[in-house]
Amino acid sequence: GAGVSQSPRYKVAKRGQDVALRCDPISGHVSLFWYQQALGQGPEFLTYFQNEAQLDKSGLPSDRFFAERPEGSVSTLKIQRTQQEDSAVYLCASSSTGTGIYGYTFGSGTRLTVV
Amino acid sequence: QKEVEQNSGPLSVPEGAIASLNCTYSDRGSQSFFWYRQYSGKSPELIMSIYSNGDKEDGRFTAQLNKASQYVSLLIRDSQPSDSATYLCAPWRDNDMRFGAGTRLTVKP
């Protein structure tokens, strides 16, 4: 596609509910990144894929967070048993290179509100 | 000490003036440096990248890098109201891009 596509754009979840956020990167982009952005803060790294391999998941805040990219294109970030502190914008970014040295292109994000 | 530090602002400049945004970082191994612009409610948009010490100019934007001082800056000349946004500094190394909290810039007509 022309850009990084994320869905849904907005998600309201009741506390304890599971959610799945989707990211469709730019076609052919090797690297895919997930970030979490709280209000008034910069994006915080969650996890990184190179093709289908998850090479870094050090930023995932707890074992309730899980990400996958099974075929090396679309990725899903899943949050189990959502908590209020999970409320944030979740940003997906992709890069054409294996490392992202030339910068990332971000999607529009999914705004998650846990009530 | 935060990994990436930026003045949160708001920084207010009149239209046509030069806006100067500053950033310091802690990781001496950082290899590339990016500036992203983020409008309210929108996603970050890459506007500048710089890889070596010195200045890099692109239109009204100039990025400056001093690795010895672990300092990077962004100058916006002839500021326009449409430049009003939050500017995020992002050093990068080894598949790892870290962001500052951003500086909010307001350009007043």
Side-chain angles (χ1 to χ4, degrees):
Chain A
V4 180
S5 177
Q6 291 188 248
S7 62
R9 187 76 175 87
Y10 302 93
K11 176 69 178 178
V12 178
K14 291 185 178 179
R15 191 161 59 93
Q17 185 180 356
D18 297 350
V19 298
L21 312 180
R22 175 188 168 104
C23 173
D24 197 345
I26 294 172
S27 179
H29 273 201
V30 172
S31 300
L32 186 146
F33 307 83
W34 283 99
Y35 282 81
Q36 179 190 61
Q37 187 173 25
L39 191 64
Q41 300 298 314
E44 294 280 345
F45 171 79
L46 293 177
T47 188
Y48 155 62
F49 290 86
Q50 188 173 116
N51 296 309
E52 70 279 1
Q54 188 175 21
L55 298 186
D56 188 348
K57 54 182 181 179
S58 62
L60 296 176
S62 77
D63 58 8
R64 297 186 295 104
F65 287 71
F66 171 77
E68 60 183 4
R69 193 186 184 197
E71 297 179 358
S73 55
V74 171
S75 176
T76 303
L77 176 67
K78 298 179 179 178
I79 309 173
Q80 297 177 322
R81 305 181 303 281
T82 52
Q83 304 294 316
Q84 283 194 320
E85 61 263 29
D86 300 334
S87 295
V89 175
Y90 290 85
L91 294 166
C92 176
S94 69
S95 171
S96 59
T97 68
T99 63
I101 189 172
Y102 300 119
Y104 308 166
T105 301
F106 281 87
S108 298
T110 294
R111 182 178 296 277
L112 173 65
T113 302
V114 181
V115 298
Chain B
Q1 182 190 8
K2 290 183 180 178
E3 294 180 4
V4 184
E5 299 221 33
Q6 298 182 251
N7 288 329
S8 60
L11 172 65
S12 182
V13 300
E15 184 174 358
I18 295 175
S20 178
L21 307 169
N22 305 315
C23 171
T24 58
Y25 60 93
S26 61
D27 184 357
R28 286 195 172 274
S30 297
Q31 300 163 289
S32 305
F33 302 84
F34 303 97
W35 283 97
Y36 282 82
R37 177 176 63 198
Q38 187 171 29
Y39 292 114
S40 182
K42 302 295 185 182
S43 61
E45 173 193 9
L46 180 63
I47 57 170
M48 282 292 286
S49 57
I50 188 166
Y51 304 99
S52 55
N53 283 331
D55 295 359
K56 179 182 177 183
E57 185 175 320
D58 184 0
R60 296 186 295 113
F61 298 101
T62 298
Q64 299 174 317
L65 174 61
N66 183 326
K67 288 186 178 181
S69 300
Q70 294 174 254
Y71 173 86
V72 58
S73 68
L74 179 70
L75 300 178
I76 306 174
R77 290 182 301 281
D78 187 24
S79 295
Q80 301 297 310
S82 58
D83 295 327
S84 297
T86 296
Y87 289 80
L88 300 165
C89 171
W92 176 96
R93 69 175 290 183
D94 300 334
N95 315 307
D96 187 2
M97 185 181 291
R98 303 285 165 157
F99 288 84
T103 297
R104 188 156 57 93
L105 172 67
T106 300
V107 180
K108 295 188 173 181

